[in-house]
Structures are given as C-alpha cells and as structure tokens.
Amino acid sequence: MKTRLINLWDAFRGGFLFIPTIFVAFAVTLAIVVPQLDDRFAAQILAYSPGVRMQPDTARSTLSSIAGAIITVTGVVFSITVVALSIASSQFGSRLLRIFMNDQVTQMTIGYLVGSSVYCFLLLSIIQSNVGLDGVPHAAVQLGIVGGISSFAVMIYFIHHVAKSIHVTTIVNVLGDDLDASIMRLFPANHDDPAEDVSSPPQHDDEQRENTQDVTIHADREGYIQGIDMDTVTSIAKSNRLIVRLRHRPGNFLVRDAPLADVSASEEVTEDDIRELNDAIIVGSRRTPRQDVECAVHELVEVAVRALSPGINDPFTANSCIDRLGAALSRLARRRMLPPERYDGDGYLRVVVPAVTFPDVVDAAFHQIRQNSTNQVSVVVRLLENFALVVQFTDSEQDTDAIVRHAHLVRDGAKAEHPHPEDAETIDERFTRVLEAAGIEQE
C-alpha cells in the first residue's frame, strides 16, 4: 500500500494542478478570514495606520485593476510555459517534459498568480457589505495591493528561471541528479557497510519444496510496470504459504494475459490471491524512475542520442551526458546490488524478482550512445575516459568485464570508421588507460 501511495503522490504532484490548488485554497481562506479580522480590529488598524483608509469606490476600482493586471500577467506566464514546453519537447524529447512539469518554481508561480487574482475577486464581492469602517476591509485591500505588486516581481523571477531551465546544461544536471537520487533510493547500502547480508541462503528451502505445485499467474492489465509493492506481495505469499517468482521487474512492458509470475503453493491458489498479486503490480502508460533506475539512465541517454543526430550534431551536449552517466555509474559500482530473493521475518523464501545488475545499467547507459557515435572521435574519446574512471570503482570481475567489454566495442566501432591516424592513436591511448585501470595487460 505504501508503494502505491508513493506512486500516486508522484503522479499527483507532477503537474500544474496540485500546488496551484493549494495556493487557491489559501487565497480563499485569506479572503474569508482577513475581512473578519479587519472588522474586529478596524479601529486599531486605522489608529495605527491611518493611510490605509479608502472609500468603497476607490477600493473596488483598485482591486479591479489589480485583478485584471494579474490575469494579464498570468496569461503571459502560461504563454511562456507553453513555449518552454514546446522547445523542450522538440529539442530533448517529449519524455523529458516530466522535469518541466515537476518544476516547483513554475508550479508556485502559477499558483501565486491565480491565487492572488482569486483573492482580489472574492474581496470585491464584500466591499459594500458591513465590514470594517466605511464598508471597506482596509487591511484586506492593502493585502491585495501587496499581492498585485509582488506578482510582477514573481513574473520577472519566473522569466529568469525559465531562461535558465531550458539551457541544456541545466537539463543534463537535473537528469543527472534524478539518476543519482534513483541510485541512492534503490541501492542504499555501500559494499563496505557492516549491514547484514540480505543474500543469505534460505533457512527452510527443503521444507518449502515438499508437496508444492507450480501455478502460472497471468497479467490482467497492460502497460509499463512502474513499481512493485514488495511488502504486499511478501505479505500475500506469507499468509498463503506461497513462493512467488515474478517474471518482470519495474520498467518492463507488461502484456495483458501474458505470464506475470510463477507461484509455488502447497494449497490451491484462489482467484482472490491472483487478483491481489495483480493489484500489487503498479502499471502505467509510461516508465518512472521511482523503482526503475534504467528509466533515469535512458532519459540522459535520450538527450545524448538526440544531440548526436545529424540534424543537431552537438557532441558537446553528448559529452556532458556521458560525464554524468560516468559519475553515476562510479557511485553505483560502490553500492550493494539487491539480490533477487526476498525472505519473510521467519527466514522463508517468499518472493523472487528479476534483479537489476551493474552490467544491465552499463548496457542501458552506453549501448545507444556508442551506436550513434562511432564517427564522432571526441565522443568516443570521452566514452573511453569515463570507462577508465568507472572501472576504478568496480570490485567484482563481472562488473569490470562489463566496462572492458564496452571499451572494446567503442574502440572497434570507431576503428571501423577508419579515423585519421592521429585520432586513431588518441583512441588507442584512451583504450590503454581503460585496460590499465582495470588491471589488464595490453594485448
């Protein structure tokens, strides 16, 4: 349940509805509460601040002008937002609109402007009622004036922020930070942490294999697996004495009626068990980085591949993406990979899920960039330089072999393009650095 709530929270706050709605609700509250306070403390307010006194016609005219001006500013902000989204979609891909939709400055700017206009409109409706001296809530009107003036400052800052946010360096850094956050969230433990080894062998393996039957569960929905509620799956397996072997992991595309999991059970698996297991798999129309580290990797890769396309031909952007990928993989190499087995508190094997390995992430990070950069010497050199960096942090033969294998692929692909002898010498020199960092003698 916690995983599903987190997924819903990510979907709900990732747009232009949640924060603006909060601002509008706060504005409505202010429009109700402040005039009442004004009515209660009107004499004190005018005694200490006589300059706030206004005639009803003046107050209504002022609020009308402010509300109209804020609406105009709001229209400008919406236009700028749509233009920024259009540029981002055409330049970097529509899948990266997520980072602009999640931008809190944009959300808060829209919320502040809409909330300010709503406050002024609501205040207009009570100006001629018996509120405060002369039928005017003076402090409330002054608050509306402050909101109107500050709206222009908010718009100026928003324009400054948008100009920075559509810069390619900012986008690459945001995507790199998202990738780092995914790594820290999904692989929290370092190799050298004294934490208990979660991959310890099962304590009741022989006992669980007795008198069991295998049942294949099929999916009842279609889409990308955005997350697996592992607590729920483990709880279902424990309460029904099952062993659930999932066939898919977050990020895989699930086809309706395709095999979802193999269940080993000592008793008959009921329809309720099948439905609950299906409900524990969160499926959506797109991939999300919450439980899918390769999704965050692919977003950086997409920017790099688009930059390497003949229509754009921007190797500098591709190199920036490669640097962030190399830095992230250097951190990932020091993290402890989660094992596929999950046990309950009593040491019984309950769930087996396909695990993400370091070579899997390396393949996701570099295959497409390599395939699109064989004729770009600067990108090939940057790839090999990052391989030499990452391989210094690998501590298993499998992880080191994954980096060295990609180094061979990059070098061989570049050599097949018959680069200039001087470029070929540079490529060979960077390739030698990779082998030296991996502790491999030159062939």
Side-chain angles (χ1 to χ4, degrees), residues 68-82 113-114 155 158:
I70 294 177
I71 290 176
T72 302
V73 171
T74 304
V76 173
V77 168
F78 275 117
S79 298
I80 294 174
T81 301
V82 171
L113 295 177
V114 174
M155 184 188 70
F158 171 75

Side-chain angles (χ1 to χ4, degrees), residues 92-103:
F92 307 109
S94 59
R95 279 174 291 275
L96 298 188
L97 292 182
R98 174 184 65 84
I99 64 175
F100 294 92
M101 299 287 287
N102 290 341
D103 184 70

Side-chain angles (χ1 to χ4, degrees), residues 184-233:
M184 298 294 290
R185 180 173 59 249
L186 298 174
F187 311 100
N190 285 322
H191 281 297
D192 53 357
D193 285 350
E196 180 182 357
D197 187 1
V198 293
S199 62
S200 56
Q203 302 176 19
H204 308 281
D205 187 57
D206 293 337
E207 177 184 341
Q208 287 186 277
R209 290 182 180 179
E210 296 178 356
N211 301 322
T212 61
Q213 56 180 345
D214 293 333
V215 178
T216 299
I217 293 178
H218 295 82
D220 62 1
R221 64 201 70 185
E222 188 169 276
Y224 289 100
I225 298 180
Q226 297 178 339
I228 299 175
D229 192 344
M230 198 58 63
D231 292 337
T232 298
V233 176

Side-chain angles (χ1 to χ4, degrees), residues 80-91:
I80 294 174
T81 301
V82 171
V83 170
L85 292 176
S86 177
I87 293 174
S89 177
S90 61
Q91 188 77 13

